[in-house]
Amino acid sequence: MATASAGGMELALFTDGVLAVDHARFGFPEINHGLLPADKGIQRAVKLLGAHTARNLLLTGEIFGIRRAVDIGLVERVVEPDRLLTVAVERARTLAAKPAVLYAALKWSVNKPVDEDDGESLRATLSAAENYFDDPAAAAARARWSGRRDR
């Protein structure tokens, strides 16, 4: 049985996407064992799953199946067990083909604290633009996009 609980659940929350098989199970069972998840994992669960869902999962210690994992946005795609590795490698190749500097800037923006003020957000946006504007891979992506747009 494929289970991502406790630290495995936290790891799933920090990935760029979760592929899972139909019999996968997930959860934060720590409360049932006299433990707590890491605070960073708790905060990530709140950010990605919402406070109500995260609170429910953390306080009950429930282990749940794939249907709920998809419903709450934890799992993005259910894959047949014999295709899981192939699909994961295909997805990794697709993402790896993106300009690394743009990928990193997007990940930073998605993962940054939500309470950042507008001035900090503007500075971060300008700093990211400085970093990627002259990057060869990003420039090539813009050139390809411009070429397609003109048709």
Side-chain angles (χ1 to χ4, degrees), residues 90-108:
E90 287 170 0
R91 185 175 193 280
R93 285 189 175 131
T94 298
L95 296 178
K98 308 295 182 194
V101 67
L102 297 175
Y103 194 86
L106 286 170
K107 282 189 62 146
W108 184 87

mmCIF file of all heavy atoms in Angstrom, residues 90-108:
data_model
loop_
_atom_site.group_PDB
_atom_site.id
_atom_site.type_symbol
_atom_site.label_atom_id
_atom_site.label_comp_id
_atom_site.label_asym_id
_atom_site.label_seq_id
_atom_site.Cartn_x
_atom_site.Cartn_y
_atom_site.Cartn_z
ATOM 1 N N GLU A 90 8.098 11.838 -17.552
ATOM 2 C CA GLU A 90 7.620 12.724 -18.624
ATOM 3 C C GLU A 90 7.343 14.128 -18.072
ATOM 4 O O GLU A 90 7.716 15.129 -18.682
ATOM 5 C CB GLU A 90 6.341 12.173 -19.255
ATOM 6 C CG GLU A 90 6.547 10.965 -20.127
ATOM 7 C CD GLU A 90 5.232 10.310 -20.544
ATOM 8 O OE1 GLU A 90 4.145 10.795 -20.154
ATOM 9 O OE2 GLU A 90 5.296 9.288 -21.255
ATOM 10 N N ARG A 91 6.691 14.180 -16.921
ATOM 11 C CA ARG A 91 6.382 15.479 -16.307
ATOM 12 C C ARG A 91 7.659 16.200 -15.917
ATOM 13 O O ARG A 91 7.809 17.400 -16.136
ATOM 14 C CB ARG A 91 5.505 15.292 -15.074
ATOM 15 C CG ARG A 91 5.053 16.605 -14.478
ATOM 16 C CD ARG A 91 4.074 16.362 -13.331
ATOM 17 N NE ARG A 91 3.405 17.571 -12.940
ATOM 18 C CZ ARG A 91 3.934 18.506 -12.166
ATOM 19 N NH1 ARG A 91 5.152 18.382 -11.717
ATOM 20 N NH2 ARG A 91 3.260 19.592 -11.850
ATOM 21 N N ALA A 92 8.605 15.480 -15.342
ATOM 22 C CA ALA A 92 9.879 16.086 -14.954
ATOM 23 C C ALA A 92 10.614 16.633 -16.170
ATOM 24 O O ALA A 92 11.181 17.735 -16.122
ATOM 25 C CB ALA A 92 10.749 15.070 -14.214
ATOM 26 N N ARG A 93 10.601 15.889 -17.264
ATOM 27 C CA ARG A 93 11.254 16.363 -18.496
ATOM 28 C C ARG A 93 10.571 17.620 -19.032
ATOM 29 O O ARG A 93 11.234 18.549 -19.489
ATOM 30 C CB ARG A 93 11.262 15.267 -19.547
ATOM 31 C CG ARG A 93 12.267 14.190 -19.259
ATOM 32 C CD ARG A 93 12.413 13.224 -20.415
ATOM 33 N NE ARG A 93 13.470 12.283 -20.108
ATOM 34 C CZ ARG A 93 13.360 10.979 -20.229
ATOM 35 N NH1 ARG A 93 12.237 10.445 -20.680
ATOM 36 N NH2 ARG A 93 14.367 10.195 -19.916
ATOM 37 N N THR A 94 9.257 17.640 -18.994
ATOM 38 C CA THR A 94 8.519 18.817 -19.461
ATOM 39 C C THR A 94 8.888 20.044 -18.631
ATOM 40 O O THR A 94 9.159 21.123 -19.170
ATOM 41 C CB THR A 94 7.000 18.565 -19.386
ATOM 42 O OG1 THR A 94 6.679 17.479 -20.257
ATOM 43 C CG2 THR A 94 6.206 19.789 -19.772
ATOM 44 N N LEU A 95 8.908 19.877 -17.317
ATOM 45 C CA LEU A 95 9.249 21.005 -16.441
ATOM 46 C C LEU A 95 10.714 21.399 -16.581
ATOM 47 O O LEU A 95 11.045 22.586 -16.557
ATOM 48 C CB LEU A 95 8.912 20.666 -14.990
ATOM 49 C CG LEU A 95 7.436 20.435 -14.703
ATOM 50 C CD1 LEU A 95 7.226 20.066 -13.239
ATOM 51 C CD2 LEU A 95 6.593 21.635 -15.084
ATOM 52 N N ALA A 96 11.592 20.420 -16.755
ATOM 53 C CA ALA A 96 13.022 20.707 -16.885
ATOM 54 C C ALA A 96 13.330 21.461 -18.170
ATOM 55 O O ALA A 96 14.351 22.155 -18.257
ATOM 56 C CB ALA A 96 13.829 19.412 -16.831
ATOM 57 N N ALA A 97 12.456 21.362 -19.159
ATOM 58 C CA ALA A 97 12.671 22.059 -20.424
ATOM 59 C C ALA A 97 12.346 23.548 -20.328
ATOM 60 O O ALA A 97 12.687 24.317 -21.220
ATOM 61 C CB ALA A 97 11.831 21.411 -21.525
ATOM 62 N N LYS A 98 11.697 23.964 -19.264
ATOM 63 C CA LYS A 98 11.374 25.385 -19.072
ATOM 64 C C LYS A 98 12.645 26.138 -18.697
ATOM 65 O O LYS A 98 13.554 25.579 -18.097
ATOM 66 C CB LYS A 98 10.329 25.561 -17.954
ATOM 67 C CG LYS A 98 9.085 24.725 -18.098
ATOM 68 C CD LYS A 98 8.280 25.105 -19.304
ATOM 69 C CE LYS A 98 7.002 24.264 -19.370
ATOM 70 N NZ LYS A 98 6.358 24.353 -20.644
ATOM 71 N N PRO A 99 12.723 27.433 -19.030
ATOM 72 C CA PRO A 99 13.892 28.213 -18.616
ATOM 73 C C PRO A 99 14.034 28.185 -17.085
ATOM 74 O O PRO A 99 13.122 28.588 -16.359
ATOM 75 C CB PRO A 99 13.588 29.620 -19.132
ATOM 76 C CG PRO A 99 12.635 29.402 -20.273
ATOM 77 C CD PRO A 99 11.809 28.211 -19.866
ATOM 78 N N ALA A 100 15.168 27.693 -16.612
ATOM 79 C CA ALA A 100 15.381 27.494 -15.172
ATOM 80 C C ALA A 100 15.215 28.790 -14.385
ATOM 81 O O ALA A 100 14.653 28.777 -13.286
ATOM 82 C CB ALA A 100 16.763 26.900 -14.929
ATOM 83 N N VAL A 101 15.665 29.887 -14.920
ATOM 84 C CA VAL A 101 15.582 31.151 -14.186
ATOM 85 C C VAL A 101 14.117 31.583 -14.000
ATOM 86 O O VAL A 101 13.750 32.122 -12.965
ATOM 87 C CB VAL A 101 16.442 32.247 -14.875
ATOM 88 C CG1 VAL A 101 15.880 32.635 -16.223
ATOM 89 C CG2 VAL A 101 16.627 33.448 -13.974
ATOM 90 N N LEU A 102 13.290 31.317 -15.007
ATOM 91 C CA LEU A 102 11.860 31.648 -14.882
ATOM 92 C C LEU A 102 11.163 30.683 -13.929
ATOM 93 O O LEU A 102 10.326 31.091 -13.116
ATOM 94 C CB LEU A 102 11.190 31.600 -16.254
ATOM 95 C CG LEU A 102 11.701 32.610 -17.274
ATOM 96 C CD1 LEU A 102 11.035 32.378 -18.622
ATOM 97 C CD2 LEU A 102 11.470 34.025 -16.792
ATOM 98 N N TYR A 103 11.515 29.416 -14.024
ATOM 99 C CA TYR A 103 10.938 28.404 -13.143
ATOM 100 C C TYR A 103 11.238 28.757 -11.687
ATOM 101 O O TYR A 103 10.349 28.731 -10.832
ATOM 102 C CB TYR A 103 11.514 27.039 -13.507
ATOM 103 C CG TYR A 103 10.774 25.869 -12.924
ATOM 104 C CD1 TYR A 103 9.679 25.333 -13.577
ATOM 105 C CD2 TYR A 103 11.181 25.287 -11.730
ATOM 106 C CE1 TYR A 103 9.000 24.242 -13.048
ATOM 107 C CE2 TYR A 103 10.503 24.205 -11.199
ATOM 108 C CZ TYR A 103 9.418 23.684 -11.864
ATOM 109 O OH TYR A 103 8.749 22.623 -11.333
ATOM 110 N N ALA A 104 12.484 29.114 -11.415
ATOM 111 C CA ALA A 104 12.882 29.472 -10.049
ATOM 112 C C ALA A 104 12.134 30.709 -9.564
ATOM 113 O O ALA A 104 11.687 30.762 -8.412
ATOM 114 C CB ALA A 104 14.389 29.693 -9.979
ATOM 115 N N ALA A 105 11.993 31.709 -10.429
ATOM 116 C CA ALA A 105 11.288 32.937 -10.034
ATOM 117 C C ALA A 105 9.820 32.640 -9.731
ATOM 118 O O ALA A 105 9.258 33.163 -8.754
ATOM 119 C CB ALA A 105 11.405 33.995 -11.133
ATOM 120 N N LEU A 106 9.196 31.794 -10.541
ATOM 121 C CA LEU A 106 7.797 31.437 -10.283
ATOM 122 C C LEU A 106 7.649 30.660 -8.983
ATOM 123 O O LEU A 106 6.733 30.913 -8.194
ATOM 124 C CB LEU A 106 7.240 30.617 -11.449
ATOM 125 C CG LEU A 106 6.943 31.418 -12.709
ATOM 126 C CD1 LEU A 106 6.637 30.492 -13.873
ATOM 127 C CD2 LEU A 106 5.799 32.383 -12.469
ATOM 128 N N LYS A 107 8.563 29.720 -8.753
ATOM 129 C CA LYS A 107 8.500 28.946 -7.502
ATOM 130 C C LYS A 107 8.658 29.865 -6.304
ATOM 131 O O LYS A 107 7.961 29.715 -5.300
ATOM 132 C CB LYS A 107 9.577 27.869 -7.489
ATOM 133 C CG LYS A 107 9.215 26.673 -8.340
ATOM 134 C CD LYS A 107 10.183 25.553 -8.136
ATOM 135 C CE LYS A 107 10.127 25.110 -6.715
ATOM 136 N NZ LYS A 107 10.336 23.728 -6.449
ATOM 137 N N TRP A 108 9.558 30.819 -6.394
ATOM 138 C CA TRP A 108 9.754 31.751 -5.281
ATOM 139 C C TRP A 108 8.478 32.545 -5.032
ATOM 140 O O TRP A 108 8.044 32.690 -3.887
ATOM 141 C CB TRP A 108 10.926 32.706 -5.562
ATOM 142 C CG TRP A 108 11.180 33.578 -4.385
ATOM 143 C CD1 TRP A 108 11.966 33.297 -3.310
ATOM 144 C CD2 TRP A 108 10.601 34.861 -4.130
ATOM 145 N NE1 TRP A 108 11.918 34.330 -2.409
ATOM 146 C CE2 TRP A 108 11.081 35.304 -2.893
ATOM 147 C CE3 TRP A 108 9.717 35.671 -4.845
ATOM 148 C CZ2 TRP A 108 10.721 36.526 -2.344
ATOM 149 C CZ3 TRP A 108 9.355 36.886 -4.298
ATOM 150 C CH2 TRP A 108 9.857 37.301 -3.053
#
